[in-house]
Amino acid sequence: MPQNFASTARKDPESAFQDVRTRMMLLASELSDADATIQSMEDASPAKWHLAHTTWFFETFLLAPLDDGYKLFDERYNFLFNSYYESVGARHARPQRGMLSRPSLDDVKAYRAHVDDAIAARAGEGILDRELMALGLAHEEQHQELFLTDILHAFAQNPINPVFRKPEPLVVSHEEVTSGWTGHPGGEIEIGADPDSFHFDCEGPRHKALLTPFRLRNNAVTNREWKEFISDGGYETPLLWLSDGWATVEEEGWEAPLYWRRRDDDWRSMTLRGEQSVDDDAPVCHISFYEADAFARWVGHRLPTETEWEAIAQTHAPRGNDMSTERYRPAPQTGTGISGLYGDVWEWTGSAYLPYPGFRPATGAVGEYNGKFMSGQMVLRGGSCATSPGHVRSSYRNFFHPNKRWQFSGLRLAEDV
């Protein structure tokens, strides 16, 4: 396994395996079979499919290649739960994942138990590929985040507003929302992952980059500011928008972030804790790159490049409001200095998702993991309230097409100095 999936700085993958797998099942613990089966759009996948696909990854890449008598749980699952690995074989069409009423949720749980038991029986024997296991764990953690964003989208289509977790009152902080800017003098810096720590292949190679002086805003743009953008005709002013963005606004009828609903002259939003009043001081989320870019133009600033974002983030500890807080929604960013770089919302950058200098995809099927998606997508940084804490680091590159907004995506402003 090539070192662009290094795992030397991660907790021993065999020891971490059960923790990661258990966390996924805890996320699904309150879902019915019907909840876990529905697919609300092509971009989203059913919760049941996430549970099965992550299991398929371990079975296909760690267990099946072993010559020790391991038996597949069900040979048909290779077709049902392969995602996009062309070199592995044919697969069920993505838009039709929600048609899979069978296998049942209980069947999928049995599949997970079968594979988990097989991994446990071989742990400590030195026959399981540690690099692939580390990748499989990171892959499952990615799907835990997708699990949350996809079930939110599914529940948001239901007029009775089901909740994923019990509603909680908004926490009112007595601290002022962070304000101001943090400057950077520019010059030559290094970005990209530490080659001796776990990272996805697209985070490297580490390389030098040149920056001109700039400033990054200390907090993400808030819902209060977004309401001002709406009131000032932000969604009605074509001069603020990129051409493709304005075409999308007209085609989709956008007039607010995804999940915002006007109620009695105020805005409410569907969340994983049900429909709630929009928290004015929290970062705006569920916006597209097009919306982020239009807002930056409206306010007279711009989006940071991913290099600028990483240059600032390298000097701050990677912790914040992520999945581990179980808040499942962005929180107001308070205090002094820069705040909320990690967690709360993924922050759109002005950078296209492209390979770093010297990038080479891994050999074999796992080489399809990231590299083949480096076209037509934009980079987001920082993680969100639905991100696994193990994925919150300065070098992590998330990426989506510029019109997508079902993730917890927001923005932070930048400007030249």
Side-chain angles (χ1 to χ4, degrees):
M1 188 71 184
Q3 285 301 303
N4 44 354
F5 286 118
S7 61
T8 53
R10 186 189 175 106
K11 180 181 177 182
D12 178 74
E14 290 188 358
S15 300
F17 180 83
Q18 194 58 51
D19 291 342
V20 173
R21 299 285 286 173
T22 298
R23 190 187 314 136
M24 187 74 152
M25 291 308 299
L26 288 174
L27 290 176
S29 61
E30 297 180 29
L31 298 185
S32 68
D33 199 314
D35 290 335
T37 300
I38 56 175
Q39 180 180 19
S40 53
M41 63 171 175
E42 183 175 339
D43 286 327
S45 295
K48 185 169 65 178
W49 188 91
H50 286 299
L51 295 172
H53 167 69
T54 50
T55 304
W56 169 90
F57 188 97
F58 286 110
E59 182 177 62
T60 300
F61 293 119
L62 268 82
L63 294 172
L66 297 177
D67 185 22
D68 68 349
Y70 174 76
K71 294 183 179 180
L72 298 177
F73 182 80
D74 190 320
E75 292 183 358
R76 299 171 296 177
Y77 286 12
N78 191 58
F79 177 81
L80 291 181
F81 301 123
N82 179 2
S83 55
Y84 53 70
Y85 293 90
E86 302 280 354
S87 54
V88 173
R91 60 205 178 281
H92 187 67
R94 178 172 182 167
Q96 299 175 15
R97 289 172 183 170
M99 302 299 290
L100 299 175
S101 60
R102 304 292 177 89
S104 68
L105 180 57
D106 285 342
D107 292 335
V108 168
K109 290 178 179 179
Y111 179 35
R112 288 180 67 89
H114 173 85
V115 169
D116 289 356
D117 289 346
I119 294 288
R122 291 159 176 79
E125 297 181 4
I127 61 173
L128 295 173
D129 189 313
R130 288 174 53 86
E131 302 294 338
L132 276 174
M133 180 172 282
L135 177 59
L137 294 177
H139 168 256
E140 179 138 351
E141 288 170 335
Q142 284 184 317
H143 277 271
Q144 289 170 4
E145 179 167 4
L146 290 170
F147 180 103
L148 292 173
T149 55
D150 291 356
I151 201 66
L152 171 58
H153 190 272
F155 281 5
Q157 313 313 306
N158 190 324
I160 68 170
N161 299 329
V163 299
F164 174 74
R165 291 292 186 264
K166 292 181 181 179
E168 292 181 348
L170 292 175
V171 177
V172 178
S173 173
H174 297 291
E175 293 185 80
E176 290 189 11
V177 174
T178 301
S179 61
W181 299 75
T182 293
H184 191 283
E188 187 177 83
I189 67 166
E190 281 195 350
I191 66 167
D194 176 354
D196 293 326
S197 64
F198 178 85
H199 59 278
F200 291 110
D201 55 355
C202 65
E203 297 176 59
R206 190 165 177 83
H207 61 284
K208 295 179 179 180
L210 186 64
L211 289 175
T212 56
F214 70 95
R215 297 198 305 170
L216 192 67
R217 209 175 83 162
N218 284 339
N219 67 311
V221 169
T222 66
N223 290 316
R224 187 188 311 276
E225 294 171 287
W226 205 268
K227 287 180 179 180
E228 294 172 0
F229 174 67
I230 295 172
S231 296
D232 197 47
Y235 284 93
E236 303 164 6
T237 308
L239 292 178
L240 295 175
W241 297 79
L242 295 169
S243 176
D244 287 348
W246 183 247
T248 306
V249 169
E250 291 194 303
E251 181 180 351
E252 300 292 335
W254 290 350
E255 54 183 24
L258 184 65
Y259 306 136
W260 280 33
R261 305 163 180 178
R262 193 177 286 279
R263 297 277 194 268
D264 299 325
D265 297 323
D266 197 11
W267 289 103
R268 295 176 65 81
S269 178
M270 184 63 178
T271 76
L272 286 166
R273 296 187 181 276
E275 187 182 273
Q276 298 189 341
S277 295
V278 169
D279 185 350
D280 284 348
D281 291 328
V284 67
C285 66
H286 303 302
I287 59 167
S288 67
F289 167 81
Y290 293 138
E291 290 163 286
D293 180 78
F295 181 94
R297 191 171 289 109
W298 173 72
V299 80
H301 298 296
R302 61 174 174 84
L303 299 179
T305 67
E306 65 167 324
T307 302
E308 290 172 336
W309 191 96
E310 186 169 336
I312 298 292
Q314 285 175 349
T315 62
H316 291 78
R319 58 176 179 267
N321 175 29
D322 55 38
M323 184 198 296
S324 66
T325 70
E326 297 187 349
R327 178 184 171 92
Y328 300 130
R329 61 190 178 206
Q333 297 173 355
T334 58
T336 60
I338 201 159
S339 177
L341 278 172
Y342 300 103
D344 285 320
V345 292
W346 286 102
E347 298 177 5
W348 285 105
T349 73
S351 298
Y353 179 53
L354 295 171
Y356 283 160
F359 170 81
R360 295 290 184 274
T363 58
V366 292
E368 297 185 60
Y369 199 97
N370 283 314
K372 71 179 186 179
F373 299 110
M374 292 175 173
S375 175
Q377 308 204 63
M378 303 301 290
V379 173
L380 304 93
R381 292 300 195 108
S384 80
C385 56
T387 303
S388 169
H391 290 234
V392 177
R393 53 184 178 267
S394 64
S395 64
Y396 194 104
R397 306 173 77 199
N398 203 354
F399 52 93
F400 286 101
H401 289 99
N403 64 326
K404 304 304 181 186
R405 42 188 216 157
W406 91 108
Q407 296 297 310
F408 288 89
S409 49
L411 77 152
R412 185 182 301 259
L413 299 170
E415 65 178 11
D416 300 320
V417 175

